[in-house]
Amino acid sequence: PMPLLRLWSWRDLRRRACRAPEVDIRLLQSHAIYRNCASSHESVRFFWEALESLNQRQRRGFLRLAWNRGSLPMTEPWEQGPMIELSAKDDERLPRAWPPLFLLLLPRYSSVEACKRRLAAWLMESRRPRFDDADGAEEEDKEEEQPPQPQQSQNQQRHQQQQHQQPATRREVPQEEEPPGAPDVRGLA
């Protein structure tokens, strides 16, 4: 195999063996799939403009949050591209992601500045260490990894708790209310 390596320049070999040196937002955008919106939607354009404004380190951080990888695929075709779905209009809500699906639930921001601000906050929040007790941290991690589920009534929740016989000392984590039109990603995986 060593004589075959001489067929490539060092740059070609590095490109084949290592990750892409830069996160190309235009390339990422060309592989995007849109649910309940179009690439021309105002909030989607705000999102791509906000991503373009990030430096390379922040772009890799975004990929880690949204896709569990720090670089774009090196070869075509990609196994999957980003799936973008818009949620309710809310300049204070952070984006949400389900990395196994590369699904990004993006609030309908009113401006590029609002989108940049919330995207930066999301990236910073993900770098902050958690100081919760072990049970609470595991429970929160499990909730974040799960796609949104339909809300349960209080009776259904009590019944489910009785079935699992949870200890009384376990802390309850309130479910976040999903906006109308939240993605139903069950069965997509």
Side-chain angles (χ1 to χ4, degrees):
M2 286 304 276
L4 293 176
L5 290 178
R6 292 187 191 128
L7 296 174
W8 286 325
S9 71
W10 68 270
R11 284 186 181 100
D12 291 333
L13 187 58
R14 183 183 69 177
R15 198 180 88 241
R16 297 260 182 203
C18 303
R19 66 183 179 160
E22 292 188 359
V23 177
D24 182 353
I25 299 302
R26 298 285 177 210
L27 180 61
L28 184 64
Q29 189 175 5
S30 72
H31 286 84
I33 300 165
Y34 301 93
R35 291 179 53 185
N36 86 340
C37 62
S39 62
S40 59
H41 191 280
E42 181 180 54
S43 294
V44 173
R45 286 191 322 232
F46 293 159
F47 168 70
W48 290 118
E49 190 173 330
L51 272 184
E52 279 284 343
S53 72
L54 299 177
N55 63 37
Q56 287 298 316
R57 184 176 179 190
Q58 292 168 322
R59 291 177 184 187
R60 285 190 295 275
F62 167 77
L63 286 179
R64 279 189 206 94
L65 272 177
W67 203 7
N68 280 344
R69 57 188 301 164
S71 63
L72 298 176
M74 294 297 299
T75 59
E76 296 283 343
W78 290 11
E79 289 181 25
Q80 72 182 98
M83 191 179 323
I84 298 173
E85 184 168 323
L86 294 179
S87 65
K89 190 168 191 159
D90 187 352
D91 282 351
E92 297 307 313
R93 183 172 273 204
L94 297 176
R96 294 181 63 187
W98 288 273
L101 302 174
F102 201 175
L103 172 63
L104 183 68
L105 184 60
L106 185 66
R108 296 174 198 257
Y109 295 117
S110 62
S111 67
V112 175
E113 291 75 28
C115 187
K116 285 179 183 179
R117 204 173 50 249
R118 300 319 293 161
L119 193 56
W122 187 47
L123 291 170
M124 288 302 294
E125 184 177 287
S126 70
R127 294 175 56 189
R128 191 176 317 140
R130 291 191 178 157
F131 298 105
D132 297 337
D133 59 313
D135 276 346
E138 286 176 16
E139 191 171 308
E140 286 176 7
D141 286 345
K142 286 179 188 173
E143 277 190 20
E144 288 176 349
E145 292 173 8
Q146 297 298 318
Q149 300 293 320
Q151 292 288 331
Q152 294 180 340
S153 70
Q154 288 180 350
N155 288 339
Q156 289 172 326
Q157 288 176 357
R158 259 188 257 119
H159 179 69
Q160 189 176 17
Q161 287 174 356
Q162 289 170 355
Q163 283 182 334
H164 292 291
Q165 298 177 2
Q166 296 175 346
T169 58
R170 192 167 191 178
R171 167 174 76 110
E172 290 295 323
V173 178
Q175 288 186 342
E176 183 177 328
E177 184 176 328
E178 291 294 331
D184 183 9
V185 294
R186 294 171 287 156
L188 286 179

